[in-house]
Amino acid sequence: MDFEAGLVVTQERLSCEAGSLGELLARLRNHISPVLVGDREWERLLRRARKLPVSMAALPFGFELPLHEHRPGADLGVSVVGGTGSAAHFEDLVRSGNADPIVSGIVQLLHKTEQADSHLGRVVGRKMMLEYDIGSAPVGTDPAPGIFLRPAERPIMGGGNDERLRDISVVLTALVSAVGWRFDAAERRMAEHVHLAQPAGTRIDSFGAFPARDRAIRLAVTGFRSLHDIAVFLKRAGWREGAVLSAASGLEKRGGFVSLGVHIDVRADGLGSSPGLSFVVKHRVAGDPSYWLDRPDQWTPFINGLRQEELAVPEKLEALAAWSPGPTTLFGASGAFVLVRGIHHIKLVLTGNRIAQVKAYPFMAVTAAPPP
């Protein structure tokens, strides 16, 4: 069974198991440590996820976990792909007249990527990611999600040329429109300037925007080999704050990762003051059947480094180290499923010359088990 056919079967069977993503998540509570997501925080997460379709569990979804503080909260990240149940959910909301402006923007993006001659679709495909602030949002609020587009179909690699600059303009224009902002030429020029500063071998992994936060375009540039390479890139990009990347040098010396990324906020007047450094321990190659399968010990060396550098809450690191036990069989009303878990990356947020935050991005997905 190929991926597309398997996705259809999984979505159909998940619809027999739960009426929403939140209802399904409630059944997975024993797979998520209360050290990472506490009971009160878990209820907030479920409350938000009950407004989302259960079909989202057929594709990897995940959490943003703050490892630097004892608060056991989480934000939620999900995928929306054209032609799937998740896309139909948002399209139905628009047709019913019950869509808020961001839902309308999501559907607008879906329609743009599905057009036969879509420039946007040629760059980012039919997929977007949504990030819901839950644990990081004030209690009682329900902020609109951040929207992220990934140039997965036509990567925007370092070594700028006119075609890549056009791709950046197309992605930015679509993203800004979707979140309800007006186009800003200075913002686009700053994003292009960041791209022109990219060294060879790196790529813009995603463009993101949070309509509920101060305006900025969150760029993730990945494929770096060292902190020194990131420092050189940031200087070329015009970053004026001068944060001391040596704050993470001890972790770099301990190793346990295969590549680095940098997350920066691009504004019309320059770059944000708190870049994020992401660490990845596995090269995920498109088309590889093991793309989302992490070994149980994949992250152990790096997590040990965080513990030795005293950068995170020890109890949370212990719980995170147990996140990826390998595929787990689940049994539902419609038969067996397989639960896959892993960690996409871990990010350090710098403020000045210190590490202000440490965040983990674990994921899970549920797939229909193949017939015997």
Side-chain angles (χ1 to χ4, degrees), residues 218-221 227 230-231 233-235 237 239-245 247-248 261-267 271-279 347-359 361:
R218 176 72 55 84
L219 289 185
V221 184
L227 291 176
I230 290 179
F233 160 67
L234 286 175
K235 185 176 181 180
W239 189 48
R240 301 186 298 272
E241 298 295 330
V244 180
L245 297 184
V262 60
H263 305 247
I264 48 180
D265 287 337
V266 175
R267 302 186 176 98
L271 305 182
S273 60
S274 296
L277 303 176
S278 60
F279 295 79
K347 183 172 73 175
L348 312 183
V349 179
L350 299 178
T351 299
N353 61 353
R354 67 184 181 88
I355 296 171
Q357 300 175 359
V358 182
K359 299 178 179 181
Y361 295 82

mmCIF file of all heavy atoms in Angstrom, residues 218-221 227 230-231 233-235 237 239-245 247-248 261-267 271-279 347-359 361:
data_model
loop_
_atom_site.group_PDB
_atom_site.id
_atom_site.type_symbol
_atom_site.label_atom_id
_atom_site.label_comp_id
_atom_site.label_asym_id
_atom_site.label_seq_id
_atom_site.Cartn_x
_atom_site.Cartn_y
_atom_site.Cartn_z
ATOM 1 N N ARG A 218 8.680 34.572 10.433
ATOM 2 C CA ARG A 218 9.619 33.644 11.056
ATOM 3 C C ARG A 218 10.251 32.770 9.961
ATOM 4 O O ARG A 218 9.585 31.963 9.325
ATOM 5 C CB ARG A 218 8.875 32.779 12.073
ATOM 6 C CG ARG A 218 9.694 31.686 12.743
ATOM 7 C CD ARG A 218 10.689 32.221 13.734
ATOM 8 N NE ARG A 218 10.079 33.061 14.748
ATOM 9 C CZ ARG A 218 9.493 32.598 15.869
ATOM 10 N NH1 ARG A 218 9.415 31.292 16.097
ATOM 11 N NH2 ARG A 218 9.003 33.445 16.751
ATOM 12 N N LEU A 219 11.529 32.961 9.751
ATOM 13 C CA LEU A 219 12.272 32.148 8.782
ATOM 14 C C LEU A 219 13.106 31.112 9.521
ATOM 15 O O LEU A 219 13.810 31.448 10.483
ATOM 16 C CB LEU A 219 13.207 33.010 7.934
ATOM 17 C CG LEU A 219 12.601 33.952 6.897
ATOM 18 C CD1 LEU A 219 13.721 34.613 6.094
ATOM 19 C CD2 LEU A 219 11.647 33.215 5.967
ATOM 20 N N ALA A 220 13.045 29.877 9.062
ATOM 21 C CA ALA A 220 13.927 28.827 9.567
ATOM 22 C C ALA A 220 14.907 28.476 8.461
ATOM 23 O O ALA A 220 14.497 28.066 7.370
ATOM 24 C CB ALA A 220 13.118 27.599 9.974
ATOM 25 N N VAL A 221 16.189 28.686 8.729
ATOM 26 C CA VAL A 221 17.237 28.366 7.753
ATOM 27 C C VAL A 221 18.031 27.201 8.321
ATOM 28 O O VAL A 221 18.587 27.288 9.428
ATOM 29 C CB VAL A 221 18.158 29.575 7.503
ATOM 30 C CG1 VAL A 221 19.181 29.248 6.415
ATOM 31 C CG2 VAL A 221 17.326 30.793 7.099
ATOM 32 N N LEU A 227 28.186 26.359 14.890
ATOM 33 C CA LEU A 227 27.754 27.661 15.382
ATOM 34 C C LEU A 227 28.517 28.789 14.698
ATOM 35 O O LEU A 227 27.975 29.872 14.472
ATOM 36 C CB LEU A 227 27.957 27.735 16.894
ATOM 37 C CG LEU A 227 27.040 26.855 17.752
ATOM 38 C CD1 LEU A 227 27.443 26.964 19.215
ATOM 39 C CD2 LEU A 227 25.585 27.253 17.575
ATOM 40 N N ILE A 230 26.787 29.703 11.569
ATOM 41 C CA ILE A 230 25.579 30.484 11.840
ATOM 42 C C ILE A 230 25.938 31.922 12.180
ATOM 43 O O ILE A 230 25.272 32.871 11.726
ATOM 44 C CB ILE A 230 24.764 29.837 12.981
ATOM 45 C CG1 ILE A 230 24.152 28.525 12.491
ATOM 46 C CG2 ILE A 230 23.664 30.783 13.472
ATOM 47 C CD1 ILE A 230 23.350 27.784 13.543
ATOM 48 N N ALA A 231 26.997 32.112 12.973
ATOM 49 C CA ALA A 231 27.420 33.466 13.350
ATOM 50 C C ALA A 231 27.799 34.278 12.112
ATOM 51 O O ALA A 231 27.447 35.458 11.991
ATOM 52 C CB ALA A 231 28.584 33.398 14.325
ATOM 53 N N PHE A 233 26.729 33.768 9.047
ATOM 54 C CA PHE A 233 25.495 34.019 8.306
ATOM 55 C C PHE A 233 24.707 35.179 8.913
ATOM 56 O O PHE A 233 24.251 36.084 8.193
ATOM 57 C CB PHE A 233 24.645 32.743 8.289
ATOM 58 C CG PHE A 233 23.192 32.976 7.989
ATOM 59 C CD1 PHE A 233 22.787 33.426 6.742
ATOM 60 C CD2 PHE A 233 22.225 32.747 8.966
ATOM 61 C CE1 PHE A 233 21.436 33.639 6.466
ATOM 62 C CE2 PHE A 233 20.885 32.956 8.700
ATOM 63 C CZ PHE A 233 20.482 33.406 7.450
ATOM 64 N N LEU A 234 24.539 35.177 10.236
ATOM 65 C CA LEU A 234 23.778 36.235 10.893
ATOM 66 C C LEU A 234 24.426 37.602 10.671
ATOM 67 O O LEU A 234 23.733 38.605 10.447
ATOM 68 C CB LEU A 234 23.654 35.943 12.392
ATOM 69 C CG LEU A 234 22.684 34.827 12.780
ATOM 70 C CD1 LEU A 234 22.764 34.561 14.280
ATOM 71 C CD2 LEU A 234 21.256 35.163 12.379
ATOM 72 N N LYS A 235 25.739 37.647 10.726
ATOM 73 C CA LYS A 235 26.434 38.909 10.492
ATOM 74 C C LYS A 235 26.191 39.405 9.070
ATOM 75 O O LYS A 235 25.914 40.592 8.841
ATOM 76 C CB LYS A 235 27.922 38.745 10.762
ATOM 77 C CG LYS A 235 28.710 40.045 10.649
ATOM 78 C CD LYS A 235 30.166 39.832 11.030
ATOM 79 C CE LYS A 235 30.950 41.154 10.938
ATOM 80 N NZ LYS A 235 32.374 40.961 11.310
ATOM 81 N N ALA A 237 23.664 38.693 7.276
ATOM 82 C CA ALA A 237 22.248 39.019 7.131
ATOM 83 C C ALA A 237 21.913 40.371 7.747
ATOM 84 O O ALA A 237 20.804 40.872 7.561
ATOM 85 C CB ALA A 237 21.397 37.931 7.771
ATOM 86 N N TRP A 239 22.292 41.170 11.179
ATOM 87 C CA TRP A 239 21.800 41.100 12.555
ATOM 88 C C TRP A 239 22.674 41.970 13.436
ATOM 89 O O TRP A 239 23.891 41.761 13.531
ATOM 90 C CB TRP A 239 21.817 39.647 13.010
ATOM 91 C CG TRP A 239 21.140 39.410 14.319
ATOM 92 C CD1 TRP A 239 19.923 39.851 14.700
ATOM 93 C CD2 TRP A 239 21.665 38.661 15.396
ATOM 94 N NE1 TRP A 239 19.638 39.419 15.967
ATOM 95 C CE2 TRP A 239 20.691 38.685 16.419
ATOM 96 C CE3 TRP A 239 22.849 37.963 15.614
ATOM 97 C CZ2 TRP A 239 20.875 38.043 17.633
ATOM 98 C CZ3 TRP A 239 23.028 37.315 16.815
ATOM 99 C CH2 TRP A 239 22.051 37.365 17.816
ATOM 100 N N ARG A 240 22.074 42.943 14.102
ATOM 101 C CA ARG A 240 22.845 43.957 14.823
ATOM 102 C C ARG A 240 22.954 43.708 16.319
ATOM 103 O O ARG A 240 23.700 44.388 17.004
ATOM 104 C CB ARG A 240 22.205 45.344 14.607
ATOM 105 C CG ARG A 240 22.126 45.765 13.145
ATOM 106 C CD ARG A 240 21.627 47.196 13.015
ATOM 107 N NE ARG A 240 20.280 47.356 13.537
ATOM 108 C CZ ARG A 240 19.183 47.174 12.828
ATOM 109 N NH1 ARG A 240 19.277 46.792 11.551
ATOM 110 N NH2 ARG A 240 17.986 47.354 13.344
ATOM 111 N N GLU A 241 22.202 42.730 16.836
ATOM 112 C CA GLU A 241 22.158 42.561 18.282
ATOM 113 C C GLU A 241 23.442 41.960 18.849
ATOM 114 O O GLU A 241 23.818 42.218 19.981
ATOM 115 C CB GLU A 241 20.967 41.675 18.670
ATOM 116 C CG GLU A 241 19.628 42.275 18.272
ATOM 117 C CD GLU A 241 19.323 43.551 19.017
ATOM 118 O OE1 GLU A 241 19.774 43.701 20.166
ATOM 119 O OE2 GLU A 241 18.627 44.410 18.435
ATOM 120 N N GLY A 242 24.081 41.095 18.057
ATOM 121 C CA GLY A 242 25.358 40.539 18.490
ATOM 122 C C GLY A 242 25.268 39.563 19.639
ATOM 123 O O GLY A 242 26.104 39.551 20.542
ATOM 124 N N ALA A 243 24.221 38.716 19.672
ATOM 125 C CA ALA A 243 24.143 37.695 20.714
ATOM 126 C C ALA A 243 25.354 36.788 20.622
ATOM 127 O O ALA A 243 25.849 36.475 19.545
ATOM 128 C CB ALA A 243 22.862 36.877 20.561
ATOM 129 N N VAL A 244 25.842 36.370 21.763
ATOM 130 C CA VAL A 244 27.053 35.556 21.815
ATOM 131 C C VAL A 244 26.663 34.092 21.642
ATOM 132 O O VAL A 244 26.113 33.478 22.549
ATOM 133 C CB VAL A 244 27.787 35.767 23.156
ATOM 134 C CG1 VAL A 244 29.040 34.931 23.203
ATOM 135 C CG2 VAL A 244 28.108 37.245 23.345
ATOM 136 N N LEU A 245 26.933 33.544 20.450
ATOM 137 C CA LEU A 245 26.591 32.151 20.200
ATOM 138 C C LEU A 245 27.419 31.208 21.056
ATOM 139 O O LEU A 245 27.104 30.024 21.175
ATOM 140 C CB LEU A 245 26.780 31.822 18.716
ATOM 141 C CG LEU A 245 25.888 32.591 17.735
ATOM 142 C CD1 LEU A 245 26.114 32.090 16.327
ATOM 143 C CD2 LEU A 245 24.424 32.466 18.096
ATOM 144 N N ALA A 247 27.324 30.969 24.002
ATOM 145 C CA ALA A 247 26.475 30.463 25.083
ATOM 146 C C ALA A 247 26.108 29.001 24.846
ATOM 147 O O ALA A 247 25.840 28.263 25.795
ATOM 148 C CB ALA A 247 25.206 31.304 25.190
ATOM 149 N N ALA A 248 26.107 28.576 23.572
ATOM 150 C CA ALA A 248 25.772 27.195 23.241
ATOM 151 C C ALA A 248 26.999 26.384 22.854
ATOM 152 O O ALA A 248 26.869 25.243 22.401
ATOM 153 C CB ALA A 248 24.754 27.165 22.105
ATOM 154 N N GLY A 261 20.176 24.576 12.703
ATOM 155 C CA GLY A 261 19.367 25.561 11.991
ATOM 156 C C GLY A 261 19.265 26.825 12.815
ATOM 157 O O GLY A 261 19.583 26.829 14.009
ATOM 158 N N VAL A 262 18.836 27.904 12.183
ATOM 159 C CA VAL A 262 18.621 29.151 12.911
ATOM 160 C C VAL A 262 17.242 29.689 12.542
ATOM 161 O O VAL A 262 16.844 29.672 11.370
ATOM 162 C CB VAL A 262 19.735 30.183 12.618
ATOM 163 C CG1 VAL A 262 19.796 30.534 11.134
ATOM 164 C CG2 VAL A 262 19.537 31.448 13.443
ATOM 165 N N HIS A 263 16.497 30.127 13.556
ATOM 166 C CA HIS A 263 15.149 30.658 13.377
ATOM 167 C C HIS A 263 15.196 32.140 13.709
ATOM 168 O O HIS A 263 15.552 32.513 14.832
ATOM 169 C CB HIS A 263 14.168 29.938 14.300
ATOM 170 C CG HIS A 263 14.166 28.448 14.134
ATOM 171 N ND1 HIS A 263 13.086 27.754 13.632
ATOM 172 C CD2 HIS A 263 15.119 27.517 14.398
ATOM 173 C CE1 HIS A 263 13.376 26.461 13.589
ATOM 174 N NE2 HIS A 263 14.597 26.292 14.051
ATOM 175 N N ILE A 264 14.838 32.960 12.751
ATOM 176 C CA ILE A 264 14.931 34.408 12.956
ATOM 177 C C ILE A 264 13.637 35.084 12.514
ATOM 178 O O ILE A 264 12.970 34.634 11.583
ATOM 179 C CB ILE A 264 16.127 35.019 12.180
ATOM 180 C CG1 ILE A 264 16.146 34.539 10.727
ATOM 181 C CG2 ILE A 264 17.435 34.719 12.863
ATOM 182 C CD1 ILE A 264 17.280 35.109 9.924
ATOM 183 N N ASP A 265 13.297 36.152 13.215
ATOM 184 C CA ASP A 265 12.128 36.948 12.867
ATOM 185 C C ASP A 265 12.554 38.086 11.952
ATOM 186 O O ASP A 265 13.426 38.887 12.307
ATOM 187 C CB ASP A 265 11.472 37.510 14.120
ATOM 188 C CG ASP A 265 10.727 36.454 14.917
ATOM 189 O OD1 ASP A 265 10.350 35.425 14.319
ATOM 190 O OD2 ASP A 265 10.517 36.650 16.131
ATOM 191 N N VAL A 266 11.945 38.133 10.787
ATOM 192 C CA VAL A 266 12.246 39.164 9.796
ATOM 193 C C VAL A 266 11.162 40.230 9.855
ATOM 194 O O VAL A 266 9.974 39.924 9.751
ATOM 195 C CB VAL A 266 12.318 38.555 8.384
ATOM 196 C CG1 VAL A 266 12.502 39.642 7.336
ATOM 197 C CG2 VAL A 266 13.450 37.537 8.308
ATOM 198 N N ARG A 267 11.586 41.472 10.037
ATOM 199 C CA ARG A 267 10.669 42.610 10.062
ATOM 200 C C ARG A 267 11.107 43.616 9.009
ATOM 201 O O ARG A 267 12.225 43.557 8.499
ATOM 202 C CB ARG A 267 10.654 43.247 11.448
ATOM 203 C CG ARG A 267 10.268 42.296 12.574
ATOM 204 C CD ARG A 267 10.130 43.043 13.896
ATOM 205 N NE ARG A 267 9.664 42.165 14.959
ATOM 206 C CZ ARG A 267 10.445 41.585 15.856
ATOM 207 N NH1 ARG A 267 11.756 41.799 15.832
ATOM 208 N NH2 ARG A 267 9.940 40.796 16.786
ATOM 209 N N LEU A 271 16.060 42.480 11.790
ATOM 210 C CA LEU A 271 15.855 41.138 12.313
ATOM 211 C C LEU A 271 15.541 41.181 13.799
ATOM 212 O O LEU A 271 15.988 42.076 14.518
ATOM 213 C CB LEU A 271 17.111 40.286 12.081
ATOM 214 C CG LEU A 271 17.602 40.190 10.635
ATOM 215 C CD1 LEU A 271 18.822 39.284 10.545
ATOM 216 C CD2 LEU A 271 16.486 39.665 9.724
ATOM 217 N N GLY A 272 14.786 40.199 14.275
ATOM 218 C CA GLY A 272 14.430 40.118 15.682
ATOM 219 C C GLY A 272 15.653 39.885 16.553
ATOM 220 O O GLY A 272 16.713 39.451 16.083
ATOM 221 N N SER A 273 15.506 40.165 17.842
ATOM 222 C CA SER A 273 16.649 40.141 18.755
ATOM 223 C C SER A 273 16.883 38.799 19.436
ATOM 224 O O SER A 273 17.852 38.657 20.182
ATOM 225 C CB SER A 273 16.464 41.216 19.837
ATOM 226 O OG SER A 273 15.277 40.974 20.568
ATOM 227 N N SER A 274 15.997 37.815 19.212
ATOM 228 C CA SER A 274 16.125 36.529 19.914
ATOM 229 C C SER A 274 16.087 35.366 18.926
ATOM 230 O O SER A 274 15.048 34.708 18.753
ATOM 231 C CB SER A 274 15.005 36.377 20.952
ATOM 232 O OG SER A 274 15.113 37.356 21.958
ATOM 233 N N PRO A 275 17.195 35.085 18.254
ATOM 234 C CA PRO A 275 17.198 33.965 17.307
ATOM 235 C C PRO A 275 17.103 32.631 18.037
ATOM 236 O O PRO A 275 17.456 32.521 19.220
ATOM 237 C CB PRO A 275 18.552 34.112 16.606
ATOM 238 C CG PRO A 275 19.418 34.767 17.629
ATOM 239 C CD PRO A 275 18.518 35.717 18.363
ATOM 240 N N GLY A 276 16.626 31.640 17.340
ATOM 241 C CA GLY A 276 16.581 30.291 17.885
ATOM 242 C C GLY A 276 17.591 29.415 17.168
ATOM 243 O O GLY A 276 17.782 29.537 15.953
ATOM 244 N N LEU A 277 18.247 28.549 17.907
ATOM 245 C CA LEU A 277 19.192 27.590 17.331
ATOM 246 C C LEU A 277 18.579 26.207 17.432
ATOM 247 O O LEU A 277 18.285 25.735 18.539
ATOM 248 C CB LEU A 277 20.520 27.617 18.089
ATOM 249 C CG LEU A 277 21.248 28.949 18.189
ATOM 250 C CD1 LEU A 277 22.500 28.792 19.051
ATOM 251 C CD2 LEU A 277 21.614 29.462 16.808
ATOM 252 N N SER A 278 18.342 25.554 16.304
ATOM 253 C CA SER A 278 17.736 24.225 16.335
ATOM 254 C C SER A 278 18.792 23.159 16.071
ATOM 255 O O SER A 278 19.693 23.327 15.243
ATOM 256 C CB SER A 278 16.607 24.111 15.314
ATOM 257 O OG SER A 278 17.076 24.328 13.999
ATOM 258 N N PHE A 279 18.674 22.062 16.803
ATOM 259 C CA PHE A 279 19.587 20.931 16.692
ATOM 260 C C PHE A 279 18.811 19.724 16.194
ATOM 261 O O PHE A 279 17.738 19.403 16.708
ATOM 262 C CB PHE A 279 20.218 20.622 18.052
ATOM 263 C CG PHE A 279 21.111 21.719 18.578
ATOM 264 C CD1 PHE A 279 20.576 22.848 19.171
ATOM 265 C CD2 PHE A 279 22.496 21.616 18.478
ATOM 266 C CE1 PHE A 279 21.393 23.867 19.657
ATOM 267 C CE2 PHE A 279 23.319 22.630 18.954
ATOM 268 C CZ PHE A 279 22.766 23.756 19.549
ATOM 269 N N LYS A 347 15.249 23.242 20.238
ATOM 270 C CA LYS A 347 15.645 24.615 19.927
ATOM 271 C C LYS A 347 16.065 25.375 21.182
ATOM 272 O O LYS A 347 15.409 25.290 22.218
ATOM 273 C CB LYS A 347 14.482 25.349 19.241
ATOM 274 C CG LYS A 347 14.809 26.779 18.807
ATOM 275 C CD LYS A 347 13.687 27.376 17.964
ATOM 276 C CE LYS A 347 12.470 27.726 18.776
ATOM 277 N NZ LYS A 347 11.432 28.418 17.980
ATOM 278 N N LEU A 348 17.158 26.121 21.060
ATOM 279 C CA LEU A 348 17.602 27.047 22.095
ATOM 280 C C LEU A 348 17.299 28.460 21.616
ATOM 281 O O LEU A 348 17.638 28.819 20.488
ATOM 282 C CB LEU A 348 19.106 26.929 22.353
ATOM 283 C CG LEU A 348 19.708 25.536 22.556
ATOM 284 C CD1 LEU A 348 21.196 25.662 22.871
ATOM 285 C CD2 LEU A 348 18.994 24.785 23.660
ATOM 286 N N VAL A 349 16.660 29.263 22.457
ATOM 287 C CA VAL A 349 16.362 30.653 22.117
ATOM 288 C C VAL A 349 17.351 31.544 22.859
ATOM 289 O O VAL A 349 17.476 31.464 24.087
ATOM 290 C CB VAL A 349 14.920 31.032 22.496
ATOM 291 C CG1 VAL A 349 14.651 32.493 22.142
ATOM 292 C CG2 VAL A 349 13.927 30.127 21.765
ATOM 293 N N LEU A 350 18.066 32.389 22.099
ATOM 294 C CA LEU A 350 19.077 33.263 22.681
ATOM 295 C C LEU A 350 18.513 34.651 22.944
ATOM 296 O O LEU A 350 17.765 35.192 22.134
ATOM 297 C CB LEU A 350 20.280 33.381 21.743
ATOM 298 C CG LEU A 350 21.040 32.101 21.411
ATOM 299 C CD1 LEU A 350 22.169 32.400 20.440
ATOM 300 C CD2 LEU A 350 21.583 31.454 22.665
ATOM 301 N N THR A 351 18.883 35.199 24.058
ATOM 302 C CA THR A 351 18.600 36.596 24.367
ATOM 303 C C THR A 351 19.895 37.218 24.865
ATOM 304 O O THR A 351 20.413 36.824 25.914
ATOM 305 C CB THR A 351 17.501 36.735 25.436
ATOM 306 O OG1 THR A 351 16.291 36.149 24.942
ATOM 307 C CG2 THR A 351 17.250 38.201 25.760
ATOM 308 N N GLY A 352 20.417 38.151 24.087
ATOM 309 C CA GLY A 352 21.717 38.720 24.446
ATOM 310 C C GLY A 352 22.783 37.646 24.416
ATOM 311 O O GLY A 352 22.978 36.951 23.422
ATOM 312 N N ASN A 353 23.471 37.471 25.539
ATOM 313 C CA ASN A 353 24.560 36.499 25.580
ATOM 314 C C ASN A 353 24.197 35.266 26.410
ATOM 315 O O ASN A 353 25.064 34.589 26.952
ATOM 316 C CB ASN A 353 25.828 37.143 26.152
ATOM 317 C CG ASN A 353 25.613 37.627 27.583
ATOM 318 O OD1 ASN A 353 24.498 37.601 28.096
ATOM 319 N ND2 ASN A 353 26.686 38.061 28.211
ATOM 320 N N ARG A 354 22.896 34.982 26.512
ATOM 321 C CA ARG A 354 22.507 33.820 27.305
ATOM 322 C C ARG A 354 21.422 33.018 26.599
ATOM 323 O O ARG A 354 20.732 33.508 25.690
ATOM 324 C CB ARG A 354 21.993 34.262 28.680
ATOM 325 C CG ARG A 354 20.688 35.043 28.633
ATOM 326 C CD ARG A 354 20.267 35.545 30.004
ATOM 327 N NE ARG A 354 18.992 36.263 29.935
ATOM 328 C CZ ARG A 354 17.809 35.675 30.047
ATOM 329 N NH1 ARG A 354 17.740 34.362 30.257
ATOM 330 N NH2 ARG A 354 16.695 36.382 29.971
ATOM 331 N N ILE A 355 21.300 31.775 27.011
ATOM 332 C CA ILE A 355 20.229 30.910 26.513
ATOM 333 C C ILE A 355 19.012 31.146 27.386
ATOM 334 O O ILE A 355 19.011 30.835 28.584
ATOM 335 C CB ILE A 355 20.661 29.431 26.557
ATOM 336 C CG1 ILE A 355 21.846 29.212 25.615
ATOM 337 C CG2 ILE A 355 19.494 28.525 26.164
ATOM 338 C CD1 ILE A 355 22.486 27.846 25.754
ATOM 339 N N ALA A 356 17.968 31.720 26.809
ATOM 340 C CA ALA A 356 16.785 32.099 27.580
ATOM 341 C C ALA A 356 15.747 30.986 27.638
ATOM 342 O O ALA A 356 15.003 30.882 28.616
ATOM 343 C CB ALA A 356 16.162 33.358 26.993
ATOM 344 N N GLN A 357 15.677 30.174 26.579
ATOM 345 C CA GLN A 357 14.659 29.132 26.519
ATOM 346 C C GLN A 357 15.232 27.897 25.836
ATOM 347 O O GLN A 357 16.099 28.004 24.965
ATOM 348 C CB GLN A 357 13.437 29.607 25.737
ATOM 349 C CG GLN A 357 12.743 30.825 26.319
ATOM 350 C CD GLN A 357 11.606 31.313 25.434
ATOM 351 O OE1 GLN A 357 11.335 30.765 24.371
ATOM 352 N NE2 GLN A 357 10.938 32.366 25.875
ATOM 353 N N VAL A 358 14.713 26.742 26.231
ATOM 354 C CA VAL A 358 15.031 25.468 25.572
ATOM 355 C C VAL A 358 13.708 24.776 25.296
ATOM 356 O O VAL A 358 12.916 24.548 26.211
ATOM 357 C CB VAL A 358 15.925 24.569 26.448
ATOM 358 C CG1 VAL A 358 16.257 23.275 25.700
ATOM 359 C CG2 VAL A 358 17.206 25.294 26.858
ATOM 360 N N LYS A 359 13.449 24.461 24.035
ATOM 361 C CA LYS A 359 12.161 23.883 23.649
ATOM 362 C C LYS A 359 12.378 22.615 22.831
ATOM 363 O O LYS A 359 13.274 22.556 21.989
ATOM 364 C CB LYS A 359 11.345 24.885 22.825
ATOM 365 C CG LYS A 359 11.023 26.183 23.572
ATOM 366 C CD LYS A 359 10.247 27.133 22.672
ATOM 367 C CE LYS A 359 9.893 28.424 23.398
ATOM 368 N NZ LYS A 359 9.115 29.342 22.541
ATOM 369 N N TYR A 361 10.458 19.658 20.277
ATOM 370 C CA TYR A 361 9.369 19.535 19.311
ATOM 371 C C TYR A 361 9.144 18.057 18.978
ATOM 372 O O TYR A 361 9.528 17.583 17.905
ATOM 373 C CB TYR A 361 9.676 20.349 18.059
ATOM 374 C CG TYR A 361 9.745 21.831 18.346
ATOM 375 C CD1 TYR A 361 10.893 22.414 18.868
ATOM 376 C CD2 TYR A 361 8.633 22.659 18.146
ATOM 377 C CE1 TYR A 361 10.948 23.770 19.167
ATOM 378 C CE2 TYR A 361 8.675 24.009 18.450
ATOM 379 C CZ TYR A 361 9.835 24.556 18.957
ATOM 380 O OH TYR A 361 9.885 25.896 19.271
#
